[in-house]
Coordinates of all heavy atoms in Angstrom, one line a residue:
Chain P
R238 N 20.5 -23.6 9.8 CA 20.2 -24.8 9.0 C 19.7 -24.4 7.7 O 18.8 -23.5 7.6 CB 19.2 -25.6 9.8 CG 19.1 -27.0 9.2 CD 18.1 -27.8 10.0 NE 18.3 -27.5 11.4 CZ 17.7 -28.3 12.3 NH1 17.0 -29.3 12.0 NH2 17.9 -28.1 13.6
T240 N 17.5 -24.1 4.3 CA 16.1 -24.3 4.0 C 16.0 -25.5 3.0 O 15.2 -26.4 3.2 CB 15.5 -23.1 3.3 OG1 15.8 -21.9 4.2 CG2 14.0 -23.2 3.2
K252 N 24.7 -33.9 7.4 CA 23.7 -33.0 8.0 C 24.4 -32.2 9.1 O 24.9 -32.8 10.0 CB 22.5 -33.8 8.5 CG 21.7 -34.4 7.4 CD 20.3 -34.7 8.0 CE 19.5 -35.5 7.0 NZ 19.9 -36.9 7.0
E485 N 36.8 10.9 22.5 CA 35.9 11.3 23.6 C 36.3 12.6 24.3 O 35.4 13.3 24.6 CB 35.8 10.1 24.6 CG 35.1 8.9 24.0 CD 34.6 8.0 25.1 OE1 35.0 8.1 26.3 OE2 33.7 7.2 24.7
L490 N 33.3 14.2 26.2 CA 32.7 13.1 26.9 C 33.7 12.6 28.0 O 33.3 11.8 28.8 CB 32.4 11.9 26.0 CG 31.3 12.1 25.0 CD1 31.4 11.2 23.8 CD2 29.9 11.9 25.7
V510 N 29.9 18.2 26.6 CA 29.4 17.7 25.3 C 28.7 18.9 24.6 O 28.9 19.1 23.4 CB 28.4 16.5 25.5 CG1 27.8 16.1 24.2 CG2 29.1 15.4 26.2
R511 N 27.8 19.6 25.4 CA 27.1 20.7 24.7 C 28.1 21.7 24.2 O 28.0 22.3 23.2 CB 26.2 21.3 25.8 CG 25.0 20.5 26.1 CD 23.9 20.7 25.0 NE 23.0 19.6 25.0 CZ 22.0 19.4 25.9 NH1 21.8 20.2 26.9 NH2 21.3 18.3 25.8
I514 N 29.7 20.7 21.0 CA 28.7 20.8 19.9 C 28.6 22.2 19.5 O 28.6 22.6 18.3 CB 27.3 20.2 20.3 CG1 27.4 18.7 20.6 CG2 26.3 20.4 19.2 CD1 26.2 18.0 21.2
H520 N 30.8 14.7 15.7 CA 31.4 13.4 16.1 C 30.7 12.2 15.5 O 29.5 12.1 15.8 CB 31.4 13.3 17.7 CG 32.0 12.1 18.2 ND1 31.8 11.6 19.5 CD2 33.0 11.3 17.7 CE1 32.5 10.5 19.7 NE2 33.2 10.3 18.7
M526 N 25.6 1.9 16.1 CA 24.3 1.6 16.8 C 24.5 1.6 18.3 O 23.5 1.5 19.0 CB 23.9 0.2 16.3 CG 23.4 0.2 14.9 SD 22.4 1.5 14.4 CE 20.9 1.1 15.3
I527 N 25.7 1.6 18.8 CA 25.8 1.7 20.3 C 25.8 3.1 20.8 O 25.1 3.4 21.7 CB 27.1 1.0 20.7 CG1 27.0 -0.5 20.4 CG2 27.4 1.2 22.2 CD1 28.3 -1.3 20.6
S528 N 26.6 4.0 20.1 CA 26.6 5.3 20.7 C 26.2 6.4 19.7 O 26.1 7.6 20.1 CB 28.1 5.6 21.2 OG 29.0 5.1 20.2
G529 N 25.9 6.0 18.5 CA 25.6 7.1 17.5 C 24.1 7.2 17.3 O 23.5 8.3 17.4
L530 N 23.4 6.1 17.1 CA 22.0 6.2 16.8 C 21.2 5.4 17.9 O 21.7 4.6 18.5 CB 21.7 5.6 15.4 CG 22.4 6.2 14.2 CD1 22.3 5.3 13.0 CD2 21.8 7.6 14.0
A531 N 19.9 5.8 18.0 CA 19.0 5.1 18.9 C 18.2 4.2 17.9 O 17.3 4.7 17.3 CB 18.1 6.0 19.7
L534 N 14.3 4.3 17.6 CA 13.6 5.5 17.1 C 13.7 5.7 15.6 O 14.6 5.1 15.0 CB 14.2 6.7 17.9 CG 14.1 6.8 19.4 CD1 14.8 8.0 19.9 CD2 12.7 6.7 19.9
D538 N 13.8 11.5 14.8 CA 14.3 11.6 16.2 C 15.9 11.4 16.2 O 16.5 12.0 17.0 CB 13.7 10.6 17.1 CG 12.3 11.0 17.5 OD1 12.0 12.2 17.4 OD2 11.5 10.1 17.9
L541 N 17.6 14.6 15.1 CA 17.5 15.7 16.0 C 18.5 15.6 17.1 O 18.7 16.6 17.8 CB 16.1 15.7 16.6 CG 14.9 16.3 15.8 CD1 13.6 15.9 16.5 CD2 15.1 17.8 15.7
V542 N 19.2 14.5 17.3 CA 20.0 14.3 18.5 C 21.0 15.5 18.8 O 21.1 15.8 20.0 CB 20.9 13.0 18.3 CG1 22.0 12.9 19.3 CG2 19.9 11.8 18.4
K543 N 21.6 16.1 17.8 CA 22.5 17.1 18.1 C 22.0 18.5 18.0 O 22.6 19.5 18.3 CB 23.7 17.0 17.1 CG 24.6 15.8 17.3 CD 25.4 15.9 18.6 CE 26.2 14.6 18.9 NZ 27.4 14.4 18.1
Y545 N 18.4 19.4 18.7 CA 17.0 19.6 19.2 C 16.9 20.8 20.1 O 15.8 21.3 20.4 CB 16.5 18.3 19.9 CG 17.3 17.9 21.1 CD1 16.9 18.4 22.4 CD2 18.4 17.1 21.1 CE1 17.6 18.1 23.5 CE2 19.1 16.8 22.2 CZ 18.8 17.3 23.4 OH 19.5 17.0 24.5
H546 N 18.0 21.2 20.7 CA 17.9 22.4 21.6 C 18.1 23.7 20.9 O 18.1 24.7 21.5 CB 18.8 22.3 22.8 CG 20.2 21.6 22.5 ND1 21.1 22.2 21.7 CD2 20.7 20.4 22.9 CE1 22.1 21.4 21.6 NE2 21.9 20.3 22.3
G554 N 10.9 25.2 24.1 CA 10.9 23.9 24.7 C 10.0 22.9 23.9 O 10.1 21.7 24.1
F555 N 9.2 23.5 23.0 CA 8.3 22.6 22.2 C 9.0 22.3 20.8 O 9.4 23.3 20.2 CB 6.9 23.2 22.0 CG 6.1 23.0 23.2 CD1 6.1 24.0 24.2 CD2 5.2 21.9 23.4 CE1 5.3 23.8 25.3 CE2 4.5 21.8 24.5 CZ 4.5 22.7 25.5
L556 N 9.1 21.1 20.5 CA 9.7 20.7 19.2 C 8.8 21.2 18.1 O 7.6 21.1 18.2 CB 9.9 19.2 19.1 CG 10.9 18.6 20.1 CD1 10.8 17.1 20.0 CD2 12.3 19.1 19.8
T558 N 7.4 20.1 15.4 CA 7.2 18.8 14.8 C 7.1 18.8 13.3 O 7.9 18.1 12.6 CB 6.0 18.1 15.4 OG1 6.1 18.2 16.8 CG2 5.9 16.7 15.0
K584 N 17.1 0.9 13.2 CA 17.8 -0.4 13.3 C 17.4 -1.3 12.1 O 18.0 -2.3 11.8 CB 17.5 -1.1 14.6 CG 16.1 -1.6 14.9 CD 16.0 -2.3 16.2 CE 14.6 -2.4 16.6 NZ 14.4 -2.6 18.0
Chain W
M185 N 12.5 -37.4 17.4 CA 12.8 -36.0 16.8 C 11.5 -35.2 16.9 O 10.4 -35.6 16.5 CB 13.2 -36.2 15.4 CG 14.6 -36.5 15.1 SD 15.7 -35.1 15.2 CE 15.5 -34.4 13.6
R189 N 10.6 -26.7 16.0 CA 11.7 -26.2 16.9 C 11.4 -24.7 17.1 O 10.7 -24.1 16.4 CB 13.0 -26.5 16.4 CG 13.4 -25.8 15.1 CD 14.4 -26.5 14.3 NE 14.5 -25.9 13.0 CZ 15.3 -24.9 12.7 NH1 16.1 -24.4 13.6 NH2 15.3 -24.4 11.5
E191 N 12.9 -20.8 17.4 CA 14.0 -19.9 16.9 C 13.8 -18.6 17.5 O 12.6 -18.1 17.6 CB 13.9 -19.8 15.4 CG 15.1 -20.4 14.7 CD 14.9 -20.3 13.2 OE1 14.4 -19.3 12.7 OE2 15.3 -21.3 12.5
S195 N 15.5 -10.0 14.9 CA 15.3 -8.6 14.7 C 14.9 -7.9 16.0 O 15.0 -6.7 16.2 CB 14.2 -8.4 13.7 OG 13.0 -8.9 14.2
G196 N 14.5 -8.7 17.1 CA 14.2 -8.1 18.3 C 13.1 -7.1 18.3 O 13.1 -6.1 19.1
R197 N 12.2 -7.2 17.4 CA 11.0 -6.3 17.3 C 10.2 -6.4 18.5 O 10.1 -7.5 19.2 CB 10.2 -6.6 16.1 CG 10.7 -5.9 14.9 CD 9.8 -6.2 13.7 NE 9.8 -7.7 13.6 CZ 9.9 -8.3 12.4 NH1 10.1 -7.6 11.3 NH2 9.9 -9.6 12.4
V397 N 1.8 15.1 25.8 CA 2.4 16.3 25.2 C 3.9 16.4 25.6 O 4.8 16.7 24.8 CB 1.6 17.6 25.5 CG1 2.4 18.8 25.1 CG2 0.3 17.5 24.9
Q400 N 6.0 13.6 23.8 CA 6.1 13.6 22.4 C 6.4 14.9 21.8 O 7.0 15.0 20.7 CB 4.7 13.1 21.8 CG 4.4 11.7 22.1 CD 5.4 10.7 21.6 OE1 6.0 10.9 20.6 NE2 5.5 9.6 22.3
K401 N 6.1 16.0 22.5 CA 6.2 17.3 21.8 C 7.3 18.2 22.4 O 7.7 19.2 21.7 CB 4.9 18.1 21.9 CG 3.7 17.4 21.2 CD 3.9 17.4 19.7 CE 2.9 16.5 19.1 NZ 3.2 16.4 17.6
T402 N 7.8 17.9 23.6 CA 8.8 18.9 24.1 C 10.2 18.4 24.0 O 10.4 17.2 23.8 CB 8.5 19.2 25.6 OG1 8.8 18.0 26.4 CG2 7.1 19.6 25.9
R403 N 11.1 19.3 24.2 CA 12.6 19.0 24.1 C 12.9 18.0 25.2 O 13.7 17.0 25.0 CB 13.3 20.3 24.5 CG 14.2 20.8 23.5 CD 14.8 22.1 24.0 NE 15.7 21.8 25.2 CZ 16.4 22.7 25.8 NH1 16.3 24.0 25.3 NH2 17.2 22.4 26.8
W404 N 12.4 18.2 26.4 CA 12.7 17.3 27.5 C 12.1 15.9 27.3 O 12.8 14.9 27.7 CB 12.2 17.9 28.8 CG 12.8 19.3 29.0 CD1 14.0 19.6 29.4 CD2 12.1 20.5 28.6 NE1 14.2 21.0 29.3 CE2 13.1 21.6 28.9 CE3 10.9 20.9 28.1 CZ2 12.8 22.9 28.6 CZ3 10.6 22.2 27.9 CH2 11.5 23.2 28.2
Y406 N 11.8 14.7 24.4 CA 12.6 14.1 23.4 C 13.9 13.5 24.1 O 14.3 12.3 23.7 CB 13.0 15.2 22.4 CG 14.1 14.7 21.4 CD1 13.8 13.8 20.4 CD2 15.4 15.1 21.6 CE1 14.7 13.4 19.5 CE2 16.4 14.6 20.7 CZ 16.0 13.8 19.7 OH 17.0 13.3 18.9
E407 N 14.5 14.2 25.0 CA 15.6 13.7 25.7 C 15.3 12.4 26.4 O 16.1 11.5 26.5 CB 16.2 14.7 26.7 CG 16.8 15.9 25.9 CD 17.5 16.9 26.9 OE1 17.0 17.1 28.0 OE2 18.4 17.6 26.5
R409 N 12.9 10.3 25.6 CA 12.8 9.2 24.6 C 14.1 8.7 24.2 O 14.4 7.5 24.0 CB 11.9 9.6 23.5 CG 10.4 9.6 23.8 CD 9.6 9.9 22.6 NE 9.8 11.3 22.1 CZ 10.0 11.7 20.9 NH1 10.0 10.8 19.9 NH2 10.1 12.9 20.5
L410 N 15.0 9.6 23.9 CA 16.4 9.3 23.4 C 17.1 8.5 24.5 O 17.7 7.4 24.2 CB 17.2 10.6 23.1 CG 18.5 10.4 22.5 CD1 18.3 9.8 21.1 CD2 19.2 11.8 22.3
A413 N 15.7 5.0 24.5 CA 16.0 4.2 23.4 C 17.5 3.8 23.4 O 17.8 2.7 23.0 CB 15.6 4.9 22.1
N414 N 18.4 4.7 23.8 CA 19.8 4.4 23.8 C 20.5 5.4 24.6 O 20.8 6.5 24.2 CB 20.3 4.4 22.3 CG 21.8 4.1 22.3 OD1 22.5 4.0 23.3 ND2 22.3 3.8 21.1
E416 N 23.5 5.5 25.7 CA 24.8 5.9 25.2 C 24.7 7.0 24.2 O 25.5 8.0 24.2 CB 25.5 4.7 24.7 CG 27.0 4.8 24.4 CD 27.8 5.3 25.6 OE1 27.4 5.1 26.8 OE2 28.9 5.9 25.4
A417 N 23.8 6.9 23.3 CA 23.6 7.9 22.3 C 23.2 9.2 22.9 O 23.6 10.3 22.5 CB 22.5 7.5 21.2
R419 N 24.0 10.2 25.9 CA 25.2 10.7 26.6 C 26.1 11.5 25.5 O 26.6 12.6 25.8 CB 26.1 9.6 27.2 CG 27.1 10.1 28.1 CD 27.8 8.8 28.8 NE 28.7 8.1 27.9 CZ 30.0 8.4 27.8 NH1 30.5 9.3 28.5 NH2 30.7 7.7 26.9
H420 N 26.1 10.9 24.3 CA 26.9 11.6 23.3 C 26.2 12.9 22.8 O 26.8 13.7 22.1 CB 27.1 10.7 22.1 CG 28.2 9.7 22.2 ND1 28.2 8.7 23.1 CD2 29.4 9.7 21.6 CE1 29.4 8.1 23.0 NE2 30.1 8.6 22.1
A421 N 24.9 13.0 23.1 CA 24.2 14.2 22.7 C 24.2 15.2 23.9 O 23.7 16.3 23.8 CB 22.7 13.9 22.4
G422 N 24.9 14.9 25.0 CA 25.0 15.8 26.1 C 23.9 15.8 27.1 O 23.7 16.7 27.8
V423 N 23.1 14.7 27.0 CA 22.0 14.6 28.0 C 22.5 14.2 29.3 O 23.3 13.2 29.4 CB 20.9 13.6 27.5 CG1 19.8 13.4 28.5 CG2 20.4 14.1 26.1
R533 N 10.3 -28.3 11.3 CA 11.6 -28.9 10.8 C 11.4 -29.3 9.4 O 10.4 -29.9 9.0 CB 11.9 -30.1 11.7 CG 12.6 -29.7 13.0 CD 12.9 -31.0 13.8 NE 13.2 -30.6 15.1 CZ 14.4 -30.2 15.5 NH1 15.4 -30.2 14.7 NH2 14.6 -29.9 16.8
E534 N 12.4 -29.0 8.6 CA 12.3 -29.5 7.2 C 12.4 -31.0 7.2 O 13.0 -31.6 8.1 CB 13.5 -28.9 6.4 CG 13.6 -27.4 6.4 CD 14.3 -26.9 7.7 OE1 15.1 -27.7 8.3 OE2 14.1 -25.8 8.1
A536 N 13.8 -34.3 6.7 CA 15.2 -34.6 6.6 C 15.5 -35.5 5.4 O 14.7 -36.1 4.8 CB 15.6 -35.4 7.9

Side-chain angles (χ1 to χ4, degrees):
Chain P
R238 194 180 314 198
T240 310
K252 288 202 190 78
E485 289 203 342
L490 289 159
V510 179
R511 288 277 156 76
I514 296 171
H520 182 202
M526 290 317 288
I527 294 173
S528 43
L530 299 170
L534 299 181
D538 283 338
L541 280 169
V542 166
K543 290 290 174 75
Y545 65 89
H546 35 69
F555 283 87
L556 296 170
T558 309
K584 68 180 165 202
Chain W
M185 277 280 277
R189 68 204 167 91
E191 247 178 36
S195 63
R197 274 180 304 228
V397 170
Q400 296 299 331
K401 298 289 171 191
T402 69
R403 238 179 70 175
W404 305 280
Y406 172 75
E407 290 184 330
R409 283 186 292 135
L410 188 62
N414 183 346
E416 190 56 23
R419 194 173 73 92
H420 277 69
V423 176
R533 282 177 193 274
E534 305 82 24

